[in-house]
Amino acid sequence: MIEDKNQQKTPLSDLGEFGLIEHLTKNFKIKQSSTIKGIGDDAAVLNFDSKNIVVTTDLLVEGVHFDLGYMPLKHLGYKAVMINLSDVYAMNAIATQVTVSIAVSNRFPLEALEDLYSGIETAANIYNVDVIGGDTTSSNTGLLISVTAIGELEKDSEVYRSGAKVNDLLVLTGDVGGAYMGLQVLEREKEVYKVNPNNQPDLEPYTYIVERQLKPEARKDVIPLLKDLGVKPTSMIDVSDGLSSEIMHLCKESRLGCDLYENKIPLDPQVISVCEEFNVDSTTIALNGGEDYELLFTVSQDDFPKIKGNPNFSVIGFMKEHEAGMHLVTRADTRIPLKAQGWKNFND
Ligand code: ADP
Ligand code: MG
């Protein structure tokens, strides 16, 4: 949020396009045996033997998906990789490679792109994926970053949104609502900073939720964990737009209804206290806040003993016939039809 005025600024024109690509990508090392050729030719070459592969892509636009006023570029690079890996894991696959394409205006010096790429590199190292290419171009306005992720899985181990069956349990990893409330805190602090730049924000009480917003982690761990437990989800999706909207996707694609129990939705204590501070209902935030990047899946009731008591998983409801509809069963035991307010990109 606070810029270091003494920091050295190198205009991108000093390097030229090829010099820039070379500079940004020189640290990337190949980690995956499926990567035959990475950065440096007209195309990367991959070999997955008898595996199936999954491919997913996301485009992030400055001012729409991120605000550099509180999003450090390093975190942006990390998050851009994370949101794609999350989609790979949601297919029950292991992520192996990413490509990164950027469009930058000349207001970004080299040092800014170095920060962006240090976040990308950190994510690639921690999540064991190769950066195998991309594209670099200029933009008249802001920064655009597009990441494509590739993953592999054994044949027939794909998990789609459409496979849930009646009476399957609805299971969520981690907790939800944190990333959204983290964003509320950051936006409030940004307003305070605008009024008085000497006013240093104290984010200490909000560490968990701010980190959920700025440095989300995709649930890489869940894929081998489910395999070890001998559980193959019948359907799965990652929680990017909000729990409510993701549940509705699973229901719609599987042609089912569901009951979701309000008292089973996992919330971090910090989310509960910040919801009180902001005077918003924590269930509304849990249902409609986005960007938690947890996994939501369904399992057969027969698999319940395998996941029961596991701290990674919360059973939050179960699937019903399509005709029963999709409902939130509240703490007061009333039934409210689920609505998807979704994430705000297209609504405001
Ligand atoms: P082309 O003209 O064939 O598109 P480029 O000069 O754009 O080739 O890219 C040269 C190499 O650098 C390619 O391997 C490409 O995938 C990679 N590359 C280009 N831009 C980026 C980037 N921003 N991040 C990572 N790799 C990149
Ligand atoms: Mg190119």
Side-chain angles (χ1 to χ4, degrees), residues 17-18 21 24-25 28 38-44 99-102 117 131-136:
E17 185 192 334
F18 302 126
I21 297 170
L24 292 177
T25 62
F28 293 129
I39 292 170
D41 214 304
D42 295 312
T99 64
V100 180
S101 297
I102 51 174
Y117 267 71
V131 181
I132 55 158
D135 200 19
T136 309

